[in-house]
Amino acid sequence: MFFAGAWNQVAKIGTVNITVDEFTGDGVTTTFTMSQTESSVSAVLVSIGGVYQQPTTNYTVDGSTTITFTSPPPAPGVNPNKIVVVHNLNSTNAA
């Protein structure tokens, strides 16, 4: 990107290891333990049954491995209940 009279890096250098956690909703549980620590909701992409979840509206992270949903994800047979959490989306290297 050209900014302030110079070219600046805005993309990740090298590779980022994407990590995916999968959980199953039971209609009761609102907290799940992720495989890695996350300090920001912008560091993960979350879907339940293929439906994107809004950060801070539908879930929060607390700077540890815990993700908490504002409502319990549905139980099997009620709706699609597969929870997918994709990590490392906020990785960056500034020039």
Side-chain angles (χ1 to χ4, degrees):
M1 175 173 90
F2 195 76
F3 177 74
W7 286 101
N8 294 281
Q9 176 186 329
V10 294
K12 172 72 181 160
I13 295 174
T15 60
V16 175
N17 292 324
I18 300 297
T19 302
V20 177
D21 292 326
E22 293 185 6
F23 308 104
T24 301
D26 62 9
V28 177
T29 304
T30 57
T31 60
F32 295 85
T33 302
M34 302 179 291
S35 62
Q36 64 187 58
T37 299
E38 296 296 356
S39 59
S40 170
V41 292
S42 65
V44 294
L45 176 68
V46 178
S47 70
I48 300 175
V51 178
Y52 172 73
Q53 302 299 299
Q54 288 285 359
T56 67
T57 300
N58 300 117
Y59 68 92
T60 59
V61 296
D62 65 357
S64 70
T65 58
T66 301
I67 184 168
T68 304
F69 293 93
T70 54
S71 298
V78 176
N79 286 307
N81 65 331
K82 182 178 179 180
I83 303 161
V84 178
V85 180
V86 181
H87 298 268
N88 300 330
L89 299 178
N90 67 338
S91 295
T92 184
N93 280 347

